[in-house]
Structure formats: C-alpha cells, structure tokens
Amino acid sequence: MTDRPKVADCMARELITLTPDMEINHALRILLDRRISGAPVVDAAGQLVGVLSKKDCLRAALNASYYQEWGDCVRDYMNRDVETLDANMDIVAAAEAFLGSVYRRFPVVSEGRLVGQVSRADVLRALVEQWG
C-alpha cells in the first residue's frame, strides 16, 4: 500500500461545465468571458459526455459565418472521445499520464461522474509538496 497523494487530493472541484443541449454561441460566450480554453460537457445525471474547446467553437463560428446563423448545440461540436483520470489514481501515475499525453489538464471522474479537473501544475505541486 502506498501513501502517495491521490488525484482527488490536488484536483480543482469547482468547474465551469456545459450541457450537450446548450446553444453553441452561449457556450462560446462562457469560454470567452471566463477566459478558459475549454470545458467539460455533462448530462443531467452528471456523467461526462464530452469536452468543448475553443477550437471546437472556432469550427462552429466558421460554420455560422457560412450560413449567416447560429443555432447548433454543444453536442454538435464537442469532442466525445475524452481522456480522463480517476479520482483515486495516485499522483505518480497521474504524472506519467501527463508525460504520455499532449493535454495540459484532464477531467477527473469517479464512477463515471465528473468530480473535478487536474492540471499539470496541480500534479507538479503535489509532487513537490510530497517529496520536494
């Protein structure tokens, strides 16, 4: 048994989330106003169903410019293939996951439900606090 910190010990718990049926222009405004690069998309049961990024929103904005109207929903543009980390994963395994990935942050799930988000900086801080 290890006494290493878990992802749940260092993750952010207060997240801005979107819903699949939210209008894309509303979601885009949230990302811009909050100055965040993306947000998890959750269904009514709190299950993570995707992630919407500014790049996804750029695709929606370009599409809207072609057709001179908005009107699509988040579900039409979100990425459904989302890499996550489990809340009970130890911090060393999380660091290894970051090293093997291009992502700067991962949604954190527990039993399929979104419970937080962890960034590279969160993991690095936890490693330094544990062994630095």
Side-chain angles (χ1 to χ4, degrees), residues 55-76:
K55 183 176 180 180
D56 300 324
C57 291
L58 185 59
R59 187 175 297 112
L62 188 58
N63 195 30
S65 72
Y66 288 145
Y67 299 106
Q68 307 298 304
E69 66 181 354
W70 290 94
D72 293 328
C73 295
V74 167
R75 79 170 57 80
D76 300 319

Side-chain angles (χ1 to χ4, degrees), residues 35-46:
R35 297 181 178 195
I36 55 176
S37 61
V41 181
V42 295
D43 65 15

Side-chain angles (χ1 to χ4, degrees), residues 23-35 57:
E23 289 184 14
I24 192 68
N25 57 328
H26 180 67
L28 169 60
R29 180 56 53 197
I30 290 170
L31 297 183
L32 291 173
D33 289 349
R34 299 295 181 103
R35 297 181 178 195
C57 291

Side-chain angles (χ1 to χ4, degrees), residues 20 48-51 56 74-83:
L48 180 68
V49 295
V51 170
D56 300 324
V74 167
R75 79 170 57 80
D76 300 319
Y77 294 96
M78 70 183 190
N79 179 358
R80 288 177 166 79
D81 186 26
V82 181
E83 290 184 46

